[in-house]
Amino acid sequence: MNAYDLARALHVLAVIAWMAGLLYLPRLYIYHVKATPGGEMDQTFQTMERKLLKLIMNPSMIAAWIFGLWLFWLRSGSGADWSFAHQPWMIAKIAGVLFLTGWHQYLGMARKRFAAGTNQRSERYWRKTNELPFIAAIVMVLSVTLEWTF
C-alpha cells in the first residue's frame, strides 16, 4: 500500500459518511416540520439532528476535506505539477465539493432555526431539495472517474 491508495481509501470512507448525513438530515427536517414546536417529537428531532450534525457530519466533512487535499497534493507530485487542477473534471469536482460544503453549512443553519422554533421552510421544500447532494455526487464521481474533458 502506498500513500495515494491510503489517502484515497480514507477519503472515500469520509465522503460516504458525509453523504449519508447530507442525505439524511433533510429527511429528518421533512418530518420535523410536522412536529409541534416545544413538543416531545420536536425535542426528539432536535436531538437527532444535532447529534447527526455534530457527531457524524462535521467530523466526516473535515476528514473528507483533509484526505481530499492530501490526494490533491499527492497527485501533484508533492506540489511539483498542478496541471491536472485546470482540467474540466477537476474543476467539476472542486465545484461539487464547494457546493456540498455550502449545503452542509445551510443545513446547519436550518437546524438552528428548527431549534429556535423559527423554521420557515415547508415539508415540500425539504422534499424537493433532499436530492441535491446526490445529484452533485453523481456529477463529481462521473467527472473524476471518466476524467471528463467537456
Side-chain angles (χ1 to χ4, degrees), residues 50-150:
R50 183 181 65 254
K51 287 184 176 184
L52 177 61
L53 194 63
K54 302 290 183 183
L55 300 177
I56 297 172
M57 291 175 66
N58 288 346
S60 61
M61 178 188 68
I62 292 166
W65 266 94
I66 289 169
F67 296 129
L69 290 171
W70 186 22
L71 279 169
F72 198 89
W73 185 75
L74 290 169
R75 176 131 187 183
S76 73
S78 303
D81 179 14
W82 298 97
S83 60
F84 72 95
H86 303 288
Q87 298 297 319
W89 64 269
M90 181 53 79
I91 293 168
K93 169 78 184 259
I94 292 169
V97 170
L98 294 175
F99 168 76
L100 291 178
T101 301
W103 184 246
H104 179 117
Q105 298 305 315
Y106 178 78
L107 292 176
M109 291 185 299
R111 188 199 66 78
K112 290 179 181 176
R113 286 192 296 273
F114 272 107
T118 59
N119 171 56
Q120 298 293 315
R121 300 294 184 187
S122 68
E123 174 186 349
R124 182 178 171 165
Y125 172 83
W126 291 115
R127 284 188 189 281
K128 285 187 169 205
T129 60
N130 188 50
E131 302 305 323
L132 291 175
F134 189 63
I135 292 167
I138 290 169
V139 171
M140 292 164 58
V141 168
L142 290 175
S143 68
V144 169
T145 57
L146 301 176
E147 291 194 4
W148 285 344
T149 58
F150 298 105

